[in-house]
Amino acid sequence: MLATRLSARRSAISNGLRLFSSRPIVKTHSHGRISNRILHAQTTSSALQDTAPVYQPPKTGLLAHIPRAAVPYAELIRLDKPVGTYYLFFPCLFSTLMAGLHTVPAAPPSSVIGLSALFLTGALVMRGAGCTINDLWDRNLDPHVARTRLRPIARGAVTPFNAVIFTGAQLLTGLAVLLQFPFSCFWYATPSLILVATYPLAKRVTYYPQAVLGLTFSWGAIMGFPALGVDLLADSAALTAAACLYASNIAWTVLYDMIYAHMDIKDDVKAGIKSIALAHESNTKTVLTGLAVTQIGLLAAAGSALGAGPLFFAGSCGGAALTLGTMIWRVRLSSPADCWWWFRNGCWFTGGAIATGLAGEYVARLLGWYDEQEKSELVKQE
């Protein structure tokens, strides 16, 4: 009986010690007050660990079929989420089609298609490099945001040193793609590297990092002109069109990324990250409407500078107005899933509409449809 009591007492003491040792030790100030910052960090970290999913290797899609060692690097460049590549590519496509209908005679389809393929390759490479640079800058912020805590650098699958080496390899690949264009494109493209490298810093100092993203992602709106041999400095109409197209795409980028930013609005507050969604949380749809009007107006100005016809204004400008208006009206900003759906599909709705209108205008110029119309009008006047 005595042995049983002693054993029970030892067990109780042992359990008490384990319970005491499992409690977190919190440092206090000299006046005995608990540090609010330490408590906040512990609370945020604990809540994140309780609610965020555990990383699982991809079992479907492209990433499920590549070597296991390459998966973190494929995730780093968002190979499984290509919508960012398409958003980067569309301004390149717009400017290539716009430059193609501006050249006299109109640029041959082989040149337009070949350059568009090169731009798509470059968009894939440079978007990947931008994502890697972004994750390097955000390696201490991403672990505190539920959506980003499982990114390769944040979860430790890729070291910062290896990420830097990987970035260098991507930039060299991007240079190899760039050198396939006319050499004048090199001088037009180089300044964009500064924007690619500095964009992640913007979210730390301003509530409008989307504006810097717009400057970066819209750069392709300039590149189609020199790619087709149009000298922007010697052609005032082309320069005006390129400037308006670039500004139009900046407005579009801010618009769709503002919707995207609403996915993380709660976590951004906790992590101290700034965004336009936080700055205009109470009047987001009003701001989105203003951005849409600005984008469409500048797009129309770009077409007017080149003497675009009704196919462009009805297809590109009208299509953009219809798709953007629908998206702004229907998107539920309080739902991260709905924001993601519109961000992902809005790329094709609006980008596809603008590209279709420009392609129609290009084909009309290529086949001389407007020339025949002008001749018939002249005959009627005579």
Side-chain angles (χ1 to χ4, degrees):
M1 180 67 70
L2 181 60
T4 302
R5 291 180 180 176
L6 289 174
S7 177
R9 184 173 297 178
R10 283 196 297 267
S11 177
I13 292 172
S14 177
N15 290 335
L17 288 173
R18 279 199 300 269
L19 182 63
F20 177 78
S21 62
S22 66
R23 297 176 61 187
I25 298 175
V26 181
K27 293 182 179 180
T28 60
H29 291 297
S30 57
H31 296 291
R33 296 179 180 176
I34 298 175
S35 170
N36 290 331
R37 181 172 296 181
I38 293 174
L39 276 176
H40 176 72
Q42 289 177 341
T43 303
T44 302
S45 178
S46 299
L48 196 58
Q49 290 174 0
D50 292 339
T51 59
V54 177
Y55 175 77
Q56 296 289 339
K59 298 178 181 179
T60 59
L62 176 62
L63 269 59
H65 302 286
I66 65 176
R68 181 66 62 88
V71 169
Y73 293 92
E75 292 173 331
L76 194 59
I77 64 173
R78 317 290 197 268
L79 197 61
D80 55 332
K81 298 175 182 176
V83 64
T85 298
Y86 304 142
Y87 271 123
L88 187 60
F89 167 66
F90 268 121
C92 303
L93 180 61
F94 299 160
S95 63
T96 303
L97 289 169
M98 194 167 279
L101 62 89
H102 178 62
T103 58
V104 180
S110 58
S111 296
V112 173
I113 294 172
L115 288 171
S116 297
L118 274 177
F119 275 127
L120 180 58
T121 304
L124 174 64
V125 174
M126 293 310 297
R127 188 255 180 156
C131 289
T132 307
I133 293 171
N134 179 80
D135 287 5
L136 277 167
W137 280 115
D138 289 352
R139 63 187 181 274
N140 296 321
L141 292 176
D142 282 346
H144 301 290
V145 179
R147 186 179 57 85
T148 61
R149 66 180 293 268
L150 294 180
R151 285 178 176 174
I153 298 177
R155 71 173 190 265
V158 176
T159 65
F161 177 78
N162 287 344
V164 170
I165 299 299
F166 186 50
T167 300
Q170 291 177 91
L171 292 177
L172 287 175
T173 303
L175 177 62
V177 174
L178 178 60
L179 293 177
Q180 305 306 307
F181 291 92
F183 188 72
S184 60
C185 290
F186 177 84
W187 303 111
Y188 284 99
T190 300
S192 67
L193 294 177
I194 300 173
L195 296 171
V196 171
T198 57
Y199 158 68
L201 293 176
K203 68 185 73 173
R204 292 164 170 79
V205 298
T206 176
Y207 279 100
Y208 301 94
Q210 285 75 19
V212 182
L213 182 68
L215 294 172
T216 308
F217 261 55
S218 303
W219 201 263
I222 300 171
M223 297 301 299
F225 291 90
L228 278 173
V230 178
D231 186 352
L232 290 175
L233 299 180
D235 189 330
S236 59
L239 180 61
T240 301
C244 290
L245 185 63
Y246 179 56
S248 173
N249 277 272
I250 292 173
W252 185 35
T253 305
V254 176
L255 189 158
Y256 65 67
D257 205 60
M258 188 175 187
I259 293 175
Y260 183 81
H262 271 269
M263 294 172 58
D264 299 327
I265 196 166
K266 294 180 180 178
D267 287 330
D268 285 348
V269 172
K270 296 175 184 177
I273 300 172
K274 296 178 172 62
S275 77
I276 192 173
L278 286 172
H280 297 280
E281 185 176 2
S282 61
N283 61 338
T284 293
K285 291 205 172 186
T286 302
V287 176
L288 292 175
T289 301
L291 289 167
V293 171
T294 301
Q295 178 197 350
I296 297 164
L298 288 167
L299 181 63
S304 296
L306 298 182
L311 286 174
F312 166 77
F313 290 104
S316 295
C317 299
L322 179 62
T323 55
L324 289 173
T326 301
M327 179 171 67
I328 294 169
W329 175 49
R330 297 192 61 180
V331 65
R332 289 180 289 114
L333 297 171
S334 60
S335 169
D338 200 54
C339 289
W340 169 249
W341 192 93
W342 281 104
F343 171 79
R344 183 186 61 201
N345 294 287
C347 172
W348 293 105
F349 295 155
T350 304
I354 296 173
T356 300
L358 279 167
E361 185 74 14
Y362 167 72
V363 171
R365 295 292 180 90
L366 191 67
L367 299 179
W369 293 350
Y370 289 146
D371 294 338
E372 294 178 1
Q373 183 179 358
E374 290 174 359
K375 289 179 182 179
S376 63
E377 290 178 355
L378 287 174
V379 170
K380 290 179 181 180
Q381 290 177 0
E382 293 176 354

